[in-house]
C-alpha cells in the first residue's frame, strides 16, 4: 500500500500552490524513480501553466464525493479530473508565450514540472477509473451472489457444527446414566472399604457382621445385576466402548483420561477384559503376583466357568463352611459376580487407580498374548472380577459374558457341576502353556480363587 | 461418542454440566443413605489421610505411597469437596512414582490424573505440559495413546482445534502401530478424529477417516450394526456439507434401516430429519415433508410437545415452506419454534437453544426480516458462554451477523466480522475454506468502507487459503481472484489486475463455458484495463525496438508478478 499512499501524497503536493523551488525539488526526487517518467517525455512540448486552476478542479471533484472517506475522489464523475487534465494540457499549449524572458534552467524546470503533473494527473485518473470499476463491481450481481453464498456457507457451518454437537450431547446423555451408576458403585466401594476398616472395632459378633456384610453384598449384587442387565439391553451402537466412556469431555469428570484407556480396552469384549493384574503390594494378591492375560477363548471359558459357579455357588459356599445363617441361598448366584467389585476392593488396599495402571500393563500383556503366548496364572482369573469401579466396560463386558455364557454352556452341553469340577473345566479351557503348569503347581491358590465369591467368608472361616 | 470436544462444541458446558452435577449429587445422596456408618468411616478416612500425607519428601520413596496417594486423590475428587487437595495428592503421587519406579506406566498414569484435575479446575494451560510429559515418560502404547487423546481433548477445551486434531492424529498413529489398522478400536479413534475434522470443517480429511471407519466396522460387526449406522450418519453429514446429496441420502437411508432393525425409535426420527434436509436440498419437497412429519410425530410422542428436538423439526418445516413459497406457514412454524426455545424444558442446553435460534434467524433472513434475524443472532451469542470452546460457534454466529449487516448496507457494523475473524484465527481455524470465504466477505465490506488497503490484504489472505483448500480453479477461488483484481485495479496495479483477470477468464471459459454472466462482466473489465494499459504502452516509444522491448518487459513482468504477487502487499 505504500505505493498508493506515496503517489497520492505526491499528487496532493504537486497540486498544492507551493513555491517553484520546492516543487522542483520534489520533482527531481520523483524523477529518480520509476520508468513511468518516460511517459512524461511525451508531454515535453507542454508549457507551464499556473497551478491554481487544476487545484480548483480537483477540489471540485473531491467535493462531489464528499461523503467518502477515501482520500481519492471516486465517482462516476471521474470525468472531472479528466477534464482537469485536458484543461491543463490545452492551457499549457496556449500559454507558450510565458517562457519569454526566463532562464533556460527555469524553463527546463517548468517543463519537467509540467510533465510530471501531467503524469500524476493521468495516474489519478486511472486510479479513479479503477475505483469506479471496483465500485460498480461491488454493486453488481456477482458480489451480491457472493455475499449470499457466504451467508449460506456460514449457516451450513453452524448447522453442521450443531449437529456434531448434538451427536455428542446425545452420547453424553447416554453416558450420564452410566456415570451415575458408576458413582453409585464407587460409593458402594467406599462403604465396603469402610466396613472393612470397621471390622475389628465392631462389637458385633462375627456372625452378625458377616450377616450384615453379606446382606450388603447381596443388595449390591442385586443392584449390580440389574445394572448389568440394563447394560445388556442398552447394548446399542454406543455400546461397548462408547458407553464406557463416561463423559470424558466433561471437565468435571476426573476419569477424563481413563476413558481413553477404556476405549482401547473395551472395544473388544473378549480380550483384555477379564484381565486384571493384581497389584504387587496388594496384601492378598502379593502371592498371586503374576501377569495375566488371555485371549478370547480363555475368557469365554471363564465366562462359562463363572456361570457354573453361579449355579452351584450355594453349595460351594456351604462347603467352605461359611454358611452364615443369614445367607440367603438364592442370592449367592449374583454374589459371584458381585464380589468382583466390592468385597475384593474393599478388603484390599489398592485402589482403582493402581488397578487401572495394572490394566494397562495387562493390556501390554494382552498384546503379547495375541502373539500367541498365553501366559497366565490362576490369579488372573480370580483377579478379573475385581475391576476398578470406573472400568465400566467391565460391567457390560461381564453382562455380555453372562448373556452369552448360557449359550456357550448349552452348546457345550456342560452340565452345571459342583465345585470340584470347576478347576477341571478351567484347565480344560486353557491353552497349553507354561502358565498351566504354574497354575497346577499351586492348587491351594486355585481353590481360594474359585471361592472368591465369599472371600470375606473365607477369611472368617479361617478365623474360626 | 461424546467426542464432543470440538472447539465449537466444548463440552456442553453449560447445561449438561449442571445435569452431571445433579447426577453426582444423586450419587452422593445414595452414598449417604447408609449414613451413620458411612459418615463415621469417612471421617476416619479423613483423619487418617493427613497423617500419611504429612510425611516429608523422603517418604515419597515408599513404594506403596504412590498408589495410596492416587487413591486418596480419587476419593477426594469423588467427594467433590476440594479439588485443590486432590490435585495436591495427585501431584505427590506422581512424584512418588517418579522416585520409586522412574519413568514408566505408573508415572504416566498419575500424570494423567494430575492433568485431568487441572482440566477440571479449568487450568488447561497447566494440564498441557503435564500431559506432554506423560507421553514422554513411557513407551507403553496404551498409556501414550491415552495421553495423546487426553491432550487432544484438553486442547479442544482450550479452543485450539488445530492442535487437538494434531494430538488425536498422533494418538491414532500410536494405535495403528500397536493394533494394526483394521482393529475396531482403531475405528473408534478414527471416527472420533473424523468428528473433530468435521467440526473444523476439514471435510476431506473427515471423509477419508470416516470411510476407513466404515470399512473396519463392516468387516468386524454384523451387517446393519449400530456402529455402522453411526459411521454412516457422520458420513452423511460430511457429504451434505460438501453438497454431495446423493451419497448423503444413501448413507442416511442405510443408517435408518440399521436403526429400525435395532429398534432405536428416537434415532430413526433423528435420521428422518436429516433425510428431510437432504430432500429439501434437492427440492423433493413432498418427500421432505413426509420425513419431517414422521420425525415430528415420534419426537412429540417420545420427548414431549415442547422438546427442543420438536422445535428443530419446526424450523426445518419452516424452511421447507419458505422454499415452496408458503410464507405464512413458514412464519408460523418459526414462531412455534421460538415459543419452545423461549421456554426450554429443563435439561435443554443453552447451546441447543442458541443453535436453534441461529437456524430460525436464517429463515427470517430469507423471509427478508433481517432485523428480526439479527435480533435472534444477538440473543444466540448472548446465550453462549464465552469459553474458549464456544468461541468458534460464536464466531460463526458473528460472521452471519456481519453478513446480514452487509446485505442491508450497514457496512459500518463491520465489527462483527472483525470479531469473528479474530476468534477464528485464535482457534486455529484459519485454514479452512470457510474462513477464506469469510475473509473475502470481510474484504468486500472493507471496500464498501473505502478501506482499500485492508481489503487488499484480506483478499490476498483469502486467496491464499482458498488456493490451498479448494485449488486455484474452484469457483470460490475465482470469485476472490475477481475481487482482488478489481482492488488491484483501484490502487493502480493494473498489470496485476490484468494478469489475474486473464487467468480468471481462461479458467471460467474452460470450466463454465463462455456464456456465463460473470464471464461477460469480467471480459468487459479486462478489455477496459487492457485498453488503458495499452494506451500507456503505446505512448512509450515509437521505435519498433522500443515497442518490442516494452512488450517483452511487460509480459515478463506480469508473469513474474503472477507467480509472486502473493508476497506483495
Amino acid at each position: 500500500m505504500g505505493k498508493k499512499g506515496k503517489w497520492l501524497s505526491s499528487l496532493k503536493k504537486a497540486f498544492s500552490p507551493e513555491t517553484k523551488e520546492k516543487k522542483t525539488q520534489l520533482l527531481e526526487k520523483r524523477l529518480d524513480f520509476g520508468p513511468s517518467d518516460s511517459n512524461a517525455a511525451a508531454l515535453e512540448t507542454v508549457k507551464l501553466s499556473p497551478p491554481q486552476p487544476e487545484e480548483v478542479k480537483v477540489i471540485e471533484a473531491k467535493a462531489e464525493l464528499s461523503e467518502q472517506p477515501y482520500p481519492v475522489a471516486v465517482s462516476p464523475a471521474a470525468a472531472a479530473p479528466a477534464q482537469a487534465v485536458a484543461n491543463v494540457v490545452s492551457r499549457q499549449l496556449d500559454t507558450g508565450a510565458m517562457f519569454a524572458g526566463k532562464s533556460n534552467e527555469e524553463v527546463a524546470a517548468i517543463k519537467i514540472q509540467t510533465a510530471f503533473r501531467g503524469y500524476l494527473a493521468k495516474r489519478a485518473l486511472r486510479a479513479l477509473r479503477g475505483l469506479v470499476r471496483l465500485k460498480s463491481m461491488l454493486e453488481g450481481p456477482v458480489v451480491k451472489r457472493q455475499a449470499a453464498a457466504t451467508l449460506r456457507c456460514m449457516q451450513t457451518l453452524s448447522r453442521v457444527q450443531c449437529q456434531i454437537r448434538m451427536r455428542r450431547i446425545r452420547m453424553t446423555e447416554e453416558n450420564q446414566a452410566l456415570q451415575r451408576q458408576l458413582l453409585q458403585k464407587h460409593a458402594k466401594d467406599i462403604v465396603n472399604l469402610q466396613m472393612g476398616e470397621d471390622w475389628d472395632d465392631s462389637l458385633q459378633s462375627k456372625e452378625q457382621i458377616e450377616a450384615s456384610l453379606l446382606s450388603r453384598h447381596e443388595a449390591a449384587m442385586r443392584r449390580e445385576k440389574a445394572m448389568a442387565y440394563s447394560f445388556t439391553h442398552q447394548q446399542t451402537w454406543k455400546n461397548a466402548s462408547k458407553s464406557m466412556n463416561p463423559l470424558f469431555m466433561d471437565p468435571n469428570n476426573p476419569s477424563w483420561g481413563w476413558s481413553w484407556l477404556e476405549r482401547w480396552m473395551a472395544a473388544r469384549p473378549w480380550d483384555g477384559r477379564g484381565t486384571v493384574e493384581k497389584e504387587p503390594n496388594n496384601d492378598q494378591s502379593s502371592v498371586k503376583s503374576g501377569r495375566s492375560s488371555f485371549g478370547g477363548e480363555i475368557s469365554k471359558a471363564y465366562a462359562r466357568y463363572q456361570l457354573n459357579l453361579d449355579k452351584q455357588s450355594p453349595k460351594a459356599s456351604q462347603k467352605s463352611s461359611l454358611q452364615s445363617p443369614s445367607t440367603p441361598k438364592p442370592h449367592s448366584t449374583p454374589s459371584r459376580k458381585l464380589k468382583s467389585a466390592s468385597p475384593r476392593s474393599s478388603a484390599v488396599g489398592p485402589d482403582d487407580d493402581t488397578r487401572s495402571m495394572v490394566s494397562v500393563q495387562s493390556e501390554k500383556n494382552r498384546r503379547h498374548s495375541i502373539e500367541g503366548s498365553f501366559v497366565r496364572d490362576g490369579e488372573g482369573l480370580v483377579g478379573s472380577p475385581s475391576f476398578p469401579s470406573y472400568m465400566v466396560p467391565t460391567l457390560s463386558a461381564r453382562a455380555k459374558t453372562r448373556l452369552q455364557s448360557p449359550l456357550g454352556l448349552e452348546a457345550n452341553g456342560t452340565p452345571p457341576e459342583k465345585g470340584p469340577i470347576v478347576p477341571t473345566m478351567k484347565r480344560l479351557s486353557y491353552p497349553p502353556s507354561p502358565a498351566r503348569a504354574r497354575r497346577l503347581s499351586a492348587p491351594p491358590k486355585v481353590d481360594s480363587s474359585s471361592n472368591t465369591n465369599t472371600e470375606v467368608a473365607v477369611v472368617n472361616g479361617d478365623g474360626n | 461418542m461424546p467426542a464432543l470436544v470440538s472447539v465449537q462444541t466444548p463440552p456442553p458446558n453449560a447445561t449438561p454440566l449442571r445435569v452431571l452435577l445433579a447426577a453426582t449429587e444423586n450419587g452422593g445422596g445414595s452414598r449417604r443413605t447408609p449414613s451413620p456408618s458411612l459418615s463415621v468411616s469417612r471421617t476416619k478416612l479423613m483423619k487418617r489421610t493427613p497423617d500419611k500425607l504429612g510425611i516429608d519428601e523422603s517418604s515419597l520413596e515408599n513404594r506403596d505411597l504412590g498408589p495410596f496417594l492416587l487413591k486418596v486423590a480419587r476419593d477426594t475428587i469423588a467427594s467433590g469437596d476440594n479439588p485443590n487437595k486432590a490435585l495436591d495428592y495427585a501431584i505427590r503421587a506422581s512424584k512418588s512414582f517418579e522416585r520409586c519406579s522412574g519413568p514408566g506406566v505408573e508415572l504416566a498414569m498419575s500424570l494423567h490424573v494430575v492433568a485431568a484435575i487441572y482440566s477440571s479446575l479449568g487450568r488447561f494451560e497447566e494440564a498441557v505440559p503435564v500431559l506432554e510429559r506423560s507421553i514422554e515418560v513411557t513407551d507403553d502404547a496404551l498409556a501414550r495413546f491415552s495421553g495423546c487423546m487426553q491432550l487432544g481433548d484438553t486442547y479442544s477445551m482450550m479452543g485450539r482445534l488445530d492442535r487437538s486434531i494434531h494430538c488425536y492424529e498422533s494418538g491414532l498413529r500410536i494405535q495403528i502401530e500397536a493394533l494394526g489398522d483394521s482393529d475396531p478400536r482403531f475405528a473408534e479413534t478414527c471416527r472420533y478424529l473424523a468428528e473433530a475434522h468435521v467440526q473444523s470443517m476439514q471435510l476431506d480429511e473427515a471423509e477419508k477417516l470416516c470411510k476407513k471407519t466404515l470399512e473396519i466396522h463392516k468387516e468386524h460387526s454384523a451387517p446393519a450394526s449400530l456402529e455402522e449406522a453411526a459411521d454412516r450418519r457422520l458420513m452423511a453429514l460430511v457429504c451434505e456439507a460438501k453438497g454431495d446429496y446423493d451419497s448423503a441420502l444413501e448413507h442416511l437411508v442405510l443408517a435408518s434401516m440399521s436403526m429400525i432393525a435395532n429398534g432405536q425409535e428416537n434415532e430413526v426420527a433423528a435420521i428422518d430429519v436429516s433425510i428431510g434436509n437432504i430432500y429439501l436440498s434437492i427440492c423433493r419437497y413432498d418427500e421432505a415433508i413426509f420425513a419431517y412429519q414422521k420425525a415430528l410425530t415420534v419426537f412429540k410422542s417420545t420427548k414431549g410437545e415442547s422438546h427442543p428436538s420438536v422445535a428443530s423439526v419446526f424450523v426445518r418445516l419452516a424452511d421447507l415452506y419458505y422454499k415452496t413459497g408458503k410464507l405464512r406457514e413458514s412464519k408460523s412454524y418459526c414462531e412455534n419454534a421460538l415459543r419452545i426455545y423461549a421456554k426450554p424444558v429443563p435439561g435443554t442446553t443453552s447451546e441447543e437453544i442458541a443453535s436453534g435460534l441461529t437456524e430460525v434467524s436464517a429463515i427470517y433472513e430469507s423471509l427478508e426480516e433481517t432485523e428480526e434475524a439479527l435480533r435472534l443472532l444477538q440473543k444466540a451469542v448472548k446465550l453462549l458462554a464465552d469459553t474458549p470452546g464456544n468461541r468458534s460457534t460464536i464466531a460463526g454466529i458473528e460472521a452471519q451477523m456481519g453478513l446480514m449487516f452487509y446485505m442491508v448496507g450497514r457496512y459500518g457494523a463491520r465489527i462483527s466480522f472483525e470479531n469473528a475473524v479474530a476468534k477464528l484465527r485464535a482457534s486455529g481455524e484459519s485454514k479452512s475454506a470457510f474462513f477464506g470465504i469469510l475473509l473475502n466477505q470481510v474484504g468486500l465490506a472493507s471496500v464498501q468502507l473505502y478501506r482499500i488497503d485492508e481489503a487488499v490484504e484480506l483478499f490476498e489472505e483469502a486467496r491464499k487459503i482458498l488456493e490451498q483448500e479448494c485449488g486455484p480453479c474452484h469457483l470460490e477461488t475465482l470469485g476472490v481472484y475477481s475481487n482482488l483484481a478489481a482492488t488491484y485495479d483501484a490502487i493502480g496495479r493494473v498489470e496485476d489486475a490484468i494478469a489475474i483477470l486473464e487467468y480468471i477468464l481462461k479458467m471460467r471459459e474452460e470450466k463454465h463455458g463462455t456464456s456465463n454472466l460473470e464471464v461477460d462482466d469480467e471480459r468487459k473489465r479486462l478489455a477496459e484495463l487492457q485498453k488503458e494499459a495499452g494506451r500507456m504502452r503505446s505512448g512509450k516509444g515509437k521505435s519498433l525496438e522500443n515497442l518490442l522491448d516494452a512488450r517483452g518487459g511487460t509480459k515478463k513482468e506480469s508473469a513474474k508478478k503472477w507467480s509472486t504477487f502473493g508476497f506483495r502487499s
Side-chain angles (χ1 to χ4, degrees):
Chain A
M1 289 326 79
K3 191 176 178 185
K4 191 199 55 183
K6 238 181 266 159
W7 71 254
L8 281 175
S9 59
S10 61
L11 178 67
K12 273 196 218 156
K13 272 183 207 154
F15 285 158
S16 64
E18 282 173 313
T19 64
K20 275 178 200 165
E21 287 75 18
K22 261 192 184 169
K23 276 186 214 164
T24 315
Q25 283 164 5
L26 176 73
L27 186 56
E28 275 158 7
K29 256 188 248 157
R30 291 269 135 203
L31 281 173
D32 297 341
F33 287 48
S36 43
D37 295 312
S38 58
N39 293 338
L43 296 173
E44 243 175 344
T45 55
V46 167
K47 315 273 162 135
L48 172 73
S49 78
Q52 281 78 9
E54 295 162 22
E55 196 197 354
V56 171
K57 288 279 179 180
V58 170
I59 285 168
E60 270 169 30
K62 272 188 189 167
E64 278 170 19
L65 318 152
S66 50
E67 87 283 6
Q68 295 155 347
Y70 200 66
V72 172
V74 185
S75 82
Q83 279 169 6
V85 175
N87 285 349
V88 174
V89 173
S90 60
R91 203 162 307 161
Q92 283 166 344
L93 288 173
D94 292 343
T95 53
M98 284 179 76
F99 283 122
K102 309 222 168 172
S103 73
N104 271 351
E105 284 81 4
E106 234 172 320
V107 172
I110 289 167
K111 278 182 185 170
I112 293 167
Q113 209 174 24
T114 317
F116 180 62
R117 269 188 222 145
Y119 162 72
L120 289 180
K122 269 191 166 181
R123 241 168 95 166
L125 178 58
R126 260 194 291 135
L128 284 178
R129 284 211 195 110
L131 270 174
V132 173
R133 278 192 293 268
L134 175 62
K135 189 79 180 150
S136 69
M137 188 198 76
L138 278 182
E139 308 290 314
V142 177
V143 168
K144 292 229 163 88
R145 230 176 301 146
Q146 266 183 14
T150 311
L151 184 56
R152 301 284 157 258
C153 254
M154 290 302 139
Q155 283 165 358
T156 315
L157 178 89
S158 291
R159 194 174 310 152
V160 167
Q161 287 178 342
C162 151
Q163 285 197 26
I164 293 272
R165 198 179 317 138
M166 290 309 148
R167 229 177 123 90
R168 290 170 176 190
I169 288 175
R170 218 172 19 241
M171 299 192 179
T172 313
E173 280 165 4
E174 279 158 5
N175 284 332
Q176 265 165 17
L178 285 169
Q179 176 82 351
R180 214 167 303 144
Q181 286 160 338
L182 211 118
L183 283 169
Q184 278 169 6
K185 210 173 146 219
H186 194 70
K188 205 178 60 200
D189 285 351
I190 292 177
V191 173
N192 284 329
L193 178 65
Q194 282 149 6
M195 284 293 296
E197 281 166 9
D198 284 343
W199 190 270
D200 294 333
D201 324 5
S202 83
L203 302 173
Q204 291 171 305
S205 74
K206 273 176 188 165
E207 282 76 14
Q208 273 173 318
I209 293 168
E210 189 185 312
S212 73
L213 252 185
L214 273 175
S215 65
R216 261 170 212 280
H217 283 177
E218 279 153 23
M221 286 162 199
R222 247 175 281 135
R223 239 177 297 151
E224 212 174 71
K225 196 177 186 191
M227 223 172 359
Y229 185 73
S230 74
F231 281 143
T232 60
H233 283 253
Q234 263 182 15
Q235 272 196 20
T236 58
W237 48 300
K238 44 144 193 181
N239 114 14
S241 52
K242 257 184 247 148
S243 55
M244 301 331 163
N245 180 14
L247 297 182
F248 69 86
M249 74 292 214
D250 173 19
N252 277 7
N253 179 11
S255 48
W256 224 32
W258 303 139
S259 61
W260 288 111
L261 293 174
E262 286 157 16
R263 292 172 85 79
W264 181 313
M265 298 196 295
R268 227 184 239 177
W270 290 121
D271 38 18
R273 263 278 167 68
T275 336
V276 164
E277 193 189 347
K278 283 290 165 189
E279 257 308 285
N281 57 352
N282 192 334
D283 29 340
Q284 303 189 340
S285 53
S286 50
V287 195
K288 312 157 182 176
S289 72
R291 324 204 126 193
S292 57
S293 68
F294 36 72
E297 281 314 301
I298 295 177
S299 48
K300 256 183 242 170
Y302 177 62
R304 244 175 274 137
Y305 150 75
Q306 212 182 24
L307 188 86
N308 270 352
L309 263 197
D310 285 346
K311 291 199 178 162
Q312 48 112 74
S313 54
K315 279 176 198 168
S317 59
Q318 273 169 354
K319 261 186 211 154
S320 46
S321 85
L322 309 177
Q323 249 303 34
S324 82
S326 60
T327 327
K329 286 173 188 176
H331 283 136
S332 48
T333 314
S335 78
R336 159 112 220 100
K337 298 151 196 163
L338 295 195
K339 95 105 319 206
S340 60
S342 31
R344 167 76 49 141
S345 51
S346 61
V348 172
D351 52 287
D352 313 353
D353 294 308
T354 52
R355 264 196 208 135
S356 71
M357 285 170 205
V358 172
S359 66
V360 172
Q361 284 168 345
S362 68
E363 171 68 12
K364 226 192 270 167
N365 300 330
R366 201 184 55 64
R367 251 178 288 123
H368 295 157
S369 75
I370 290 168
E371 286 154 22
S373 65
F374 293 86
V375 181
R376 63 187 307 267
D377 65 357
E379 201 39 44
L381 256 194
V382 179
S384 61
S386 57
F387 271 90
S389 62
Y390 61 83
M391 293 211 40
V392 198
T394 346
L395 264 189
S396 82
R398 258 183 287 142
K400 267 191 221 155
T401 322
R402 240 169 280 140
L403 196 66
Q404 296 198 2
S405 41
L407 297 178
L409 190 72
E410 275 158 22
N412 278 349
T414 326
E417 299 249 5
K418 290 187 182 177
I421 277 231
V422 170
T424 15
M425 284 192 56
K426 261 202 258 172
R427 237 171 281 135
L428 282 175
S429 60
Y430 292 151
S433 80
R436 188 181 158 199
R438 225 208 296 174
R439 235 184 52 70
L440 287 175
S441 66
K445 208 172 51 177
V446 172
D447 214 351
S448 75
S449 69
S450 60
N451 272 334
T452 39
N453 50 338
T454 35
E455 213 161 32
V456 183
V458 174
V459 173
N460 192 20
D462 290 348
N464 282 340
Chain B
M1 57 200 62
L4 152 46
V5 189
S6 75
V7 176
Q8 282 68 59
T9 354
N13 260 340
T15 335
L17 221 129
R18 248 175 274 135
V19 173
L20 180 83
L21 286 181
T24 321
E25 273 154 29
N26 282 348
S30 70
R31 194 191 306 156
R32 252 158 236 146
T33 20
S35 56
S37 69
L38 175 66
S39 55
V40 168
S41 44
R42 194 187 272 167
T43 46
K44 237 187 191 178
L45 192 79
M46 291 298 171
K47 251 185 269 157
R48 230 178 51 162
T49 41
D51 302 341
K52 277 246 178 178
L53 297 173
I55 351 182
D56 60 328
E57 294 283 302
S58 64
S59 63
L60 284 175
E61 316 260 322
N62 184 345
R63 288 204 143 261
D64 298 339
L65 193 60
F68 173 75
L69 283 171
L70 261 192
K71 156 99 177 144
V72 176
R74 280 196 71 90
D75 287 347
T76 316
I77 296 166
S79 69
D81 323 323
N82 196 344
N84 285 313
K85 217 185 250 170
L87 180 63
D88 182 50
Y89 295 152
I91 290 174
R92 282 152 166 272
S94 65
K95 270 186 201 147
S96 159
F97 280 126
E98 197 170 5
R99 294 215 184 165
C100 301
S101 42
V105 177
E106 282 87 1
L107 179 57
M109 301 294 281
S110 62
L111 288 173
H112 290 175
V113 175
V114 173
I117 300 173
Y118 273 132
S119 300
S120 69
L121 291 171
R123 291 154 72 178
F124 300 116
E125 278 78 8
E126 289 163 89
V128 169
V130 173
L131 283 170
E132 277 166 353
R133 175 129 196 276
S134 83
I135 298 168
E136 280 162 21
V137 295
T138 174
D139 289 332
D140 181 82
L142 178 52
R144 285 176 60 218
F145 163 78
S146 104
C148 284
M149 299 304 275
Q150 198 181 338
L151 184 56
D153 288 346
T154 309
Y155 271 131
S156 103
M157 296 290 298
M158 293 165 71
R160 299 303 314 262
L161 250 201
D162 51 343
R163 288 195 195 170
S164 87
I165 286 180
H166 186 76
C167 293
Y168 295 146
E169 277 166 352
S170 338
L172 199 65
R173 269 195 301 276
I174 294 170
Q175 214 175 13
I176 292 180
E177 276 166 29
L179 301 173
D181 60 359
S182 64
D183 190 288
R185 285 166 286 178
F186 166 70
E188 286 294 318
T189 319
C190 252
R191 183 163 64 200
Y192 192 82
L193 179 55
E195 284 184 8
H197 275 304
V198 175
Q199 206 89 43
S200 63
M201 296 313 276
Q202 296 170 354
L203 299 176
D204 291 328
E205 285 89 344
E207 194 180 5
K208 244 180 273 159
L209 288 167
C210 205
K211 263 188 193 142
K212 208 179 228 171
T213 314
L214 205 52
E215 275 164 27
I216 298 172
H217 277 147
K218 257 188 211 159
E219 191 183 319
H220 286 271
S221 32
S225 69
L226 291 164
E227 279 85 3
E228 195 186 315
D231 294 341
R232 288 197 184 279
R233 290 181 72 184
L234 182 60
M235 196 69 173
L237 202 57
V238 175
C239 292
E240 189 188 352
K242 293 178 98 178
D244 181 2
Y245 297 115
D246 291 342
S247 340
L249 195 57
E250 191 190 321
H251 285 298
L252 284 174
V253 170
L254 288 173
S256 170
M257 276 159 37
S258 322
M259 288 298 181
I260 291 171
N262 288 284
Q264 299 281 312
E265 209 182 331
N266 268 324
E267 299 300 326
V268 175
I271 296 178
D272 278 337
V273 177
S274 310
I275 292 179
N277 292 344
I278 307 280
Y279 278 132
L280 184 56
S281 305
I282 54 179
C283 299
R284 285 161 69 176
Y285 299 118
D286 293 340
E287 281 111 325
I289 291 187
F290 177 71
Y292 288 145
Q293 292 293 359
K294 221 170 99 194
L296 191 60
T297 320
V298 175
F299 281 147
K300 274 187 176 170
S301 66
T302 60
K303 300 192 171 180
E305 295 274 334
S306 51
H307 193 272
S309 45
V310 174
S312 73
V313 183
F314 283 158
V315 180
R316 302 316 306 148
L317 281 167
D319 194 16
L320 188 145
Y321 283 117
Y322 163 73
K323 284 190 175 140
T324 51
K326 295 178 184 166
L327 304 187
R328 221 161 40 84
E329 278 91 339
S330 171
K331 226 174 154 185
S332 101
Y333 272 117
C334 283
E335 281 156 12
N336 285 340
L338 286 180
R339 216 165 293 140
I340 294 178
Y341 288 131
K343 286 182 196 161
V345 293
T348 314
T349 68
S350 57
E351 278 87 358
E352 235 172 326
I353 298 173
S355 68
L357 292 181
T358 316
E359 300 228 336
V360 178
S361 100
I363 294 167
Y364 274 118
E365 190 275 324
S366 33
L367 289 168
E368 301 194 347
E369 298 193 18
T370 316
E371 289 307 317
E372 181 63 15
L374 281 169
R375 207 179 53 78
L376 289 174
L377 288 181
Q378 273 153 356
K379 224 166 145 187
V381 170
K382 257 183 231 154
L383 272 174
L384 292 167
D386 188 23
T387 57
N390 266 342
R391 254 168 228 161
S392 77
T393 314
I394 296 176
I397 297 177
E398 280 174 344
Q400 288 183 43
M401 288 167 61
L403 275 157
M404 287 181 193
F405 282 130
Y406 177 89
M407 290 166 88
V408 295
R410 284 161 64 181
Y411 308 120
R414 217 181 63 128
I415 185 79
S416 306
F417 276 138
E418 275 160 8
N419 286 344
V421 169
K423 285 197 179 95
L424 287 174
R425 262 190 232 279
S427 74
E429 219 168 321
S430 49
K431 273 188 204 136
S432 86
F434 281 75
F435 186 65
I437 292 170
L438 181 63
L439 281 181
N440 177 44
Q441 201 56 48
V442 185
L444 289 175
S446 305
V447 173
Q448 297 284 17
L449 296 173
Y450 296 97
R451 300 193 192 163
I452 311 269
D453 316 7
E454 283 171 38
V456 171
E457 273 164 35
L458 289 163
F459 286 140
E460 280 171 350
E461 193 182 347
R463 183 194 59 191
K464 216 151 100 201
I465 292 169
L466 285 176
E467 272 174 358
Q468 229 168 47
E469 296 298 312
C470 309
C473 314
H474 193 273
L475 264 186
E476 300 290 350
T477 321
L478 292 181
V480 177
Y481 282 157
S482 162
N483 297 342
L484 187 62
T487 331
Y488 278 152
D489 177 15
I491 58 169
R493 289 166 63 177
V494 182
E495 294 297 334
D496 289 343
I498 290 176
I500 296 176
L501 277 173
E502 277 168 353
Y503 175 78
I504 297 173
L505 277 175
K506 201 178 111 219
M507 291 319 298
R508 281 214 206 272
E509 280 166 15
E510 271 172 26
K511 300 258 163 185
H512 316 109
T514 49
S515 58
N516 191 305
L517 184 96
E518 294 178 19
V519 174
D520 268 356
D521 180 59
E522 272 148 12
R523 194 175 297 136
K524 251 181 256 159
R525 277 163 57 199
L526 178 61
E528 220 173 305
L529 279 179
Q530 276 171 332
K531 209 174 92 197
E532 221 164 78
R535 210 199 295 152
M536 260 167 55
R537 239 179 265 146
S538 66
K540 267 187 187 170
K542 271 144 200 137
S543 86
L544 188 60
E545 200 185 306
N546 258 355
L547 202 61
L548 285 177
D549 201 36
R551 269 199 196 151
T554 328
K555 254 190 201 162
K556 242 183 263 158
E557 197 187 4
S558 69
K560 198 182 79 204
K561 274 180 191 162
W562 175 238
S563 58
T564 60
F565 67 69
F567 303 103
R568 300 178 47 164
S569 68

